Every structure is written in C-alpha cells, then in structure tokens.
Amino acid sequence: MTFLGYERPDGSFGARNYVLVIPSGIVADEICHFVAGTKTIVTPNSASGHTASDRETIAKVYTGLGLNPNVASVLVTSGGGSEYPEMAVERLVKAFERSGKRVEVLSVSSGDT
C-alpha cells in the first residue's frame, strides 16, 4: 500500500493541504466561499466581551488548529479580537512561523475601500 501524503518539516504527516483562515467571522467566511482549499472554523461570536482567560483559550484553539498537520498555511486576518493582547495578530503569527508553515496577514479595516 502506498501513502499519498506528505511529511512536514516537524516530522508529522499530512494528507490534505488546506489554508486555515483565522479568526473566524464574515471576512474568513467570504474568503473561504471564493477561494478553493481554504477553511475556517465556526464560532458563536468574537473575542469581545470575554475575559482574558477566555480569550487565551480561544487563541490556543486557533493556534492548535493552525498547527494541525492537515493545515499547510495560515491566513490571519486583523480584527475579530486582535486588539486584545491574547489575540494579537503578531502572537498568532509567531506561533505558526515557529512550525515552519507559511503565514500571511490580511489587514482588514472597516474604513478600507
């Protein structure tokens, strides 16, 4: 039997090659609707209104999902709680970069046209 997957730089193996778009929300949903091979997660709401401990847990979930061997790259959008230190874009990006995965940041502002 032949395994048609691939080996990651960290020694783990993957069988899929998705781009994870985080944090979830309307921007991530629209990207995933129009770009094949992208995935996001469904959450009930944003990080606002949560305690620092809750936001820390949300950040750990995002990081864990991004480090999954089936995720090839991560697209981190600004907004969706990124104003909180626990959800800072730079913090998420560093966690993914340490794994050797490609990471890009998409800056989203309600004032952009």
Side-chain angles (χ1 to χ4, degrees):
M1 176 178 262
T2 303
F3 175 66
L4 299 176
Y6 51 91
E7 185 173 4
R8 298 255 181 230
D10 67 359
S12 62
F13 290 89
R16 293 178 189 88
N17 224 5
Y18 293 118
V19 173
L20 179 65
V21 184
I22 58 168
S24 61
I26 192 163
V27 172
D29 290 343
E30 289 300 310
I31 291 170
C32 293
H33 178 76
F34 289 105
V35 181
T38 57
K39 301 285 182 185
T40 191
I41 61 172
V42 177
T43 58
N45 51 28
S46 68
S48 61
H50 292 284
T51 67
S53 177
D54 291 340
R55 290 189 300 269
E56 183 67 35
T57 300
I58 293 168
K60 286 179 182 179
V61 169
Y62 286 148
T63 302
L65 290 169
L67 296 176
N68 184 292
N70 291 331
V71 173
S73 302
V74 182
L75 176 62
V76 181
T77 62
S78 64
S82 62
E83 66 273 12
Y84 298 107
E86 303 84 12
M87 302 288 292
V89 169
E90 299 80 21
R91 181 178 177 196
L92 295 170
V93 167
K94 285 181 185 177
F96 300 129
E97 286 178 335
R98 282 193 297 268
S99 72
K101 292 185 184 201
R102 182 174 178 186
V103 183
E104 295 290 336
V105 176
L106 176 64
S107 179
V108 180
S109 172
S110 60
D112 290 348
T113 56

